[in-house]
Amino acid sequence: MVVAGLNANGFDRNTWVASGKQGIFETDNFTSPGYVARLNYTGVPGLKVGGSFYYCRNTGSNSDKQKDYVNIGKIPLRIYSADLQYKNKYVVARANMIYGNLGNTVKLSDANNKLSELSPYSRTTPTAKRAVSYGAEVGFNLHSICKDNKNVPVIYPFARYEYYNPQEKGEGYLTMDLRNKVSMWTVGANWYALPNLVFKADYTTRKIGGGEYNSENEFSLAIAYIGWFINK
């Protein structure tokens, strides 16, 4: 399962899960099921607030070969997420957060180091105890702010800040890789030439490892069209 999102490629944002379904030749063990709960609130016009929680008591017992992890004890996994959006005629604001906590990572890393090169599991170590990603952005509708003046195009200048680190914190003797620690700012504008056609331009600067590594700067242009190609 691959979790994607929090990429500053414009103001339209989505958090999604890809490649999550079972393949034709795959089987899933149900020894230790995962539990998910989510709560959404939409009681205020234009406001959407949501949060979710995922818990698995022992991820190691769901492996194809339980002997690989049976001797290291339980490997519990907790994932928390929260998201917020507020939208009206003048402004669009969004924020989201994902936080993960994995237990028993020292013994898990030791076990992964001993896996065969033919193992279907990742042998990348060390395994982090904590991973985190969060961001917030705001954009303003210049057309509406200018009292819907027909001479002012529908342009949303925006700014976004985000931070992510899949190795936010290690456990025991495990040393995390600072190159995974990234904070970034993105500024740009979206021009809606038509209701379903938008031109995007933005500039991004990334600070890596808290400044210990070279920063990255990026300028991008894009065109997006929103439409339904298949009607059910």
Side-chain angles (χ1 to χ4, degrees):
M1 184 174 290
V2 179
V3 178
L6 295 178
N7 293 321
N9 292 323
F11 192 67
D12 295 325
R13 320 227 7 118
N14 291 290
T15 300
W16 47 280
V17 178
S19 303
K21 72 176 184 179
Q22 181 174 317
I24 188 172
F25 297 112
E26 294 180 328
T27 58
D28 289 334
N29 292 326
F30 197 59
T31 308
S32 182
Y35 303 91
V36 179
R38 179 168 178 85
L39 182 65
N40 294 323
Y41 173 74
T42 57
V44 177
L47 177 65
K48 297 179 180 179
V49 180
S52 66
F53 173 68
Y54 171 90
Y55 174 71
C56 181
R57 178 172 174 269
N58 184 13
T59 57
S61 65
N62 293 327
S63 61
D64 290 343
K65 296 182 178 180
Q66 295 189 29
K67 66 179 180 62
D68 291 336
Y69 301 107
V70 70
N71 294 324
I72 70 175
K74 293 182 177 62
I75 311 172
L77 174 63
R78 296 174 178 85
I79 301 176
Y80 308 84
S81 74
D83 51 86
L84 175 149
Q85 176 179 282
Y86 180 73
K87 185 176 183 179
N88 61 22
K89 183 178 179 179
Y90 303 100
V91 65
V92 178
R94 299 186 181 97
N96 51 23
M97 179 277 294
I98 300 176
Y99 171 90
N101 188 284
L102 182 65
N104 210 357
T105 55
V106 173
K107 291 183 178 180
L108 177 60
S109 295
D110 292 340
N112 285 342
N113 281 329
K114 298 175 183 177
L115 292 177
S116 166
E117 294 183 357
L118 301 178
S119 171
Y121 303 114
S122 172
R123 299 173 67 249
T124 302
T125 55
T127 303
K129 174 180 180 60
R130 185 179 302 166
V132 66
S133 175
Y134 57 82
E137 64 189 355
V138 61
F140 299 93
N141 185 350
L142 290 183
H143 182 77
S144 294
I145 292 174
C146 295
K147 299 181 179 180
D148 296 325
N149 189 325
K150 293 182 179 180
N151 295 322
V152 179
V154 181
I155 294 180
Y156 280 83
F158 69 88
R160 175 174 179 83
Y161 173 79
E162 57 188 285
Y163 172 89
Y164 59 88
N165 188 357
Q167 290 193 336
E168 177 69 13
K169 182 178 180 180
E171 188 177 24
Y173 71 89
L174 301 178
T175 301
M176 302 293 98
D177 191 340
L178 271 178
R179 290 174 296 180
N180 291 312
K181 180 180 180 180
V182 178
S183 60
M184 55 195 294
W185 280 97
T186 301
V187 294
N190 294 338
W191 169 41
Y192 286 85
L194 297 171
N196 292 343
L197 179 65
V198 58
F199 293 84
K200 298 170 172 285
D202 60 64
Y203 172 77
T204 300
T205 179
R206 299 181 183 88
K207 186 177 181 181
I208 301 174
E212 295 293 327
Y213 298 89
N214 291 332
S215 297
E216 297 178 344
N217 301 294
E218 178 183 278
F219 179 75
S220 62
L221 296 171
I223 301 175
Y225 178 79
I226 305 170
W228 291 101
F229 296 97
I230 299 176
N231 292 322
K232 294 184 179 180

